[in-house]
Amino acid sequence: MAQPRITVILPVKDGEGYVGTTLKSLLRQMREPGELKVVAISDGSTDGTADVIRHFDGAFAHLELLENETAVGLASARNMGLEHAEGDYVAFIDGDDWMEPWRLQTLVDEGDRLDVDFIRTDHTTVAAGVRSLVRAPFPWRGRAAVPRDAILPARETTMVDYPYAWAGIFHRRLHERGLLAFPEGLFTAEDRPWIWSLHLNADSFAVVDAPSLLYRREVSTSLTQILDSRQLDFLRSFDQTRQVVEADPEADRFMAKLTATTMAVAAHHLRRRRRMTPEDRDRLKAGVADLIAALPQDIVWDAYTSGPARRRITLARYVRGARGRTDA
């Protein structure tokens, strides 16, 4: 039996209606099926998710199922999967998404050809039966590049604004360096400090064209559709991202980009606050105030005054409050 060349890490919670489609798509990925290993993590599922996964046990040469009695969240579940990875490459997929045929074979072939630390791709969103291509925001395709050179410009969409772990593959050497681990315990926005750490610390990457990953939108059980206290994990996520950037020798070069992204995401959550509980709204407002106050205030003011009018209106009290803290 062939040994794995790539491991796909598949965390899923209460996904019995979708994970079968995900697994079927993984059966059509490699020329030699034994070169694929799947590590599935049923993260506190209360439905038949684990049973659906077990149904595929004989279909894969290498399939491992981990079960958490209580949900630990996407970040920690992915970290569990990393400890069971085999082969030269690691990929991620969520339990409500799927891949077009031969995507992983294409990415492994490109990884071998380019010999880079990680590869990124476009992806396709699927909502109400409509498919839309989302392009990875990098102009050069099919050639090796320096990851930190893909972070800027500060006021444009760049690769750190494209944090999706499932949009590519990663060489095992990144795992050995500790660069693939996600911040433990984050239920949302777990990929923000992760993608910044990758682009600041990995040596090489490439964006390539490949068969698509299809990202299912508007799933009722997805945390992107649920407004509860777990959404507030973005506050911890961006605080950790700031610490990642501040620890870099070129922190001054990248702080404007981090500040602009932080303020854009904070404004997005603030505009949704009326759908939260009063307690979560209070936590959100206090957390955003702390996030903005922790950033360099001259850079905050520049990002604020140059941002769109809607964002300025949303963030006005927080930016002025942070300036008041500094003046005091």
Side-chain angles (χ1 to χ4, degrees):
M1 180 185 297
Q3 294 303 303
R5 289 218 61 209
I6 183 169
T7 295
V8 176
I9 296 172
L10 166 59
V12 56
K13 182 181 188 299
D14 294 336
E16 66 175 347
Y18 304 104
V19 72
T21 298
T22 306
L23 288 164
K24 286 178 183 177
S25 77
L26 294 178
L27 289 171
R28 299 178 295 166
Q29 292 300 316
M30 303 296 290
R31 288 187 294 267
E32 172 51 64
E35 292 187 349
L36 172 67
K37 178 177 180 178
V38 177
V39 179
I41 306 97
S42 178
D43 189 33
S45 296
T46 58
D47 62 2
T49 293
D51 291 334
V52 174
I53 295 169
R54 279 190 285 267
H55 177 76
F56 285 83
D57 189 45
F60 290 94
H62 310 280
L63 173 63
E64 197 167 345
L65 171 61
L66 311 176
E67 295 186 69
N68 294 329
E69 185 174 341
T70 302
V72 298
L74 184 58
S76 297
R78 284 175 175 165
N79 290 342
M80 291 175 60
L82 283 170
E83 296 309 309
H84 295 258
E86 299 181 56
D88 299 318
Y89 298 100
V90 172
F92 300 94
I93 190 169
D94 292 345
D96 48 10
D97 302 334
W98 70 101
M99 296 181 184
E100 292 180 341
W102 314 120
R103 171 178 170 80
L104 292 179
Q105 185 68 66
T106 301
L107 295 184
V108 167
D109 290 345
E110 287 289 86
D112 290 346
R113 178 179 73 87
L114 294 167
D115 190 27
V116 290
D117 286 342
F118 63 99
I119 283 178
R120 306 292 274 158
T121 72
D122 306 329
H123 71 276
T124 300
T125 63
V126 182
V130 177
R131 298 187 178 190
S132 303
L133 179 66
V134 181
R135 299 271 291 176
F138 193 68
W140 296 282
R141 301 274 161 142
R143 71 189 202 193
V146 178
R148 65 176 49 223
D149 290 345
I151 296 174
L152 301 176
R155 295 179 185 173
E156 296 181 14
T157 301
T158 71
M159 290 303 293
V160 291
D161 303 308
Y162 191 78
Y164 317 111
W166 33 256
I169 66 169
F170 308 88
H171 199 279
R172 185 177 181 86
R173 58 180 171 259
L174 292 177
H175 178 45
E176 293 168 351
R177 292 176 58 189
L179 292 177
L180 288 188
F182 293 84
E184 286 285 341
L186 288 179
F187 280 78
T188 59
E190 75 292 330
D191 43 17
R192 292 292 184 162
W194 177 84
I195 196 67
W196 272 90
S197 180
L198 270 181
H199 275 273
L200 289 173
N201 294 295
D203 297 319
S204 58
F205 90 111
V207 176
V208 305
D209 295 322
S212 196
L213 180 140
L214 294 104
Y215 170 51
R216 198 189 303 264
R217 300 291 301 270
E218 300 175 353
V219 176
S220 61
T221 56
S222 169
L223 282 180
T224 61
Q225 301 297 315
I226 299 173
L227 276 179
D228 63 19
S229 60
R230 291 171 293 182
Q231 288 289 328
L232 299 184
D233 275 5
F234 91 91
L235 297 166
R236 284 198 296 141
S237 171
F238 274 90
D239 186 61
Q240 292 181 31
T241 305
R242 175 182 56 79
Q243 295 175 48
V244 167
V245 175
E246 287 179 344
D248 190 83
E250 291 188 297
D252 291 345
R253 178 185 173 194
F254 300 115
M255 193 55 70
K257 175 62 180 175
L258 173 64
T259 299
T261 303
T262 301
M263 294 174 70
V265 173
H268 166 73
H269 283 277
L270 284 167
R271 285 193 290 269
R272 303 196 303 170
R273 67 186 181 275
R274 289 181 179 84
R275 295 164 54 194
M276 298 179 178
T277 66
E279 294 78 13
D280 285 344
R281 282 200 297 270
D282 289 343
R283 289 179 56 202
L284 171 64
K285 290 186 286 187
V288 169
D290 289 341
L291 274 184
I292 292 177
L295 294 165
Q297 290 307 296
D298 57 335
I299 299 177
V300 167
W301 186 250
D302 182 65
Y304 172 71
T305 55
S306 62
R310 186 184 185 198
R311 187 181 305 163
R312 293 199 302 272
I313 293 169
T314 303
L315 294 177
R317 61 177 291 191
Y318 302 94
V319 172
R320 291 174 183 140
R323 288 169 69 86
R325 289 196 204 184
T326 302
D327 295 340

